[in-house]
Amino acid sequence: MKMVVAIIKPFKLDDVREALTSVGIEGLTVSEVKGYGRQKGQTEIYRGAEYSVNFLPKVKIEVAVTDDQVEQVVETIQKAANTGRIGDGKIFVLDVSHAVRIRTGETDAEAL
């Protein structure tokens, strides 16, 4: 099992969710986060004064999948979240050693 973690632009969340649903992903976790990468924040003007915003709003999506779904999920997220501009985000794939569905007690792949 793997955990796919994607950090994307907030306005792409609906596109990514719809794309994942279309390939059979039934559940995901979404968190609002802040961060920066190569774009190193941005400069904004408020009431005539310029100030720097170092951490930009992002959305973190976490999806637990079986090993055979990983490539399809990564490709789906990449295509749906891509704008072609800096700051589109990143996708990480982590190993999951064990999973348990609390309600039924199912474990590992059956718990997903």
Side-chain angles (χ1 to χ4, degrees), residues 1-3 94-99 108:
M1 295 178 301
K2 304 288 185 193
M3 178 69 71
L94 312 167
D95 287 322
V96 175
S97 62
H98 189 59
D108 299 330

Side-chain angles (χ1 to χ4, degrees), residues 9-101:
K9 292 181 175 184
F11 67 88
K12 295 301 273 180
L13 176 60
D14 286 336
D15 294 341
V16 171
R17 185 189 55 78
E18 289 172 13
L20 287 173
T21 301
S22 73
V23 297
I25 300 302
E26 296 178 350
L28 55 89
T29 301
V30 176
S31 306
E32 293 181 7
V33 296
K34 292 185 179 195
Y36 72 92
R38 289 187 179 158
Q39 63 196 128
K40 296 179 178 60
Q42 63 189 18
T43 303
E44 295 185 1
I45 297 175
Y46 179 71
R47 294 189 176 182
E50 188 175 292
Y51 68 98
S52 178
V53 178
N54 293 324
F55 294 99
L56 301 174
K58 301 287 182 180
V59 172
K60 180 166 118 176
I61 299 170
E62 296 172 292
V63 184
V65 297
T66 58
D67 290 341
D68 60 325
Q69 294 176 305
V70 172
E71 289 304 318
Q72 183 180 29
V73 167
V74 169
E75 288 176 17
T76 300
I77 294 171
Q78 183 178 7
K79 287 178 184 174
N82 186 7
T83 67
R85 297 195 187 111
I86 193 166
D88 275 352
K90 293 220 173 27
I91 301 171
F92 305 97
V93 179
L94 312 167
D95 287 322
V96 175
S97 62
H98 189 59
V100 177
R101 183 182 309 247

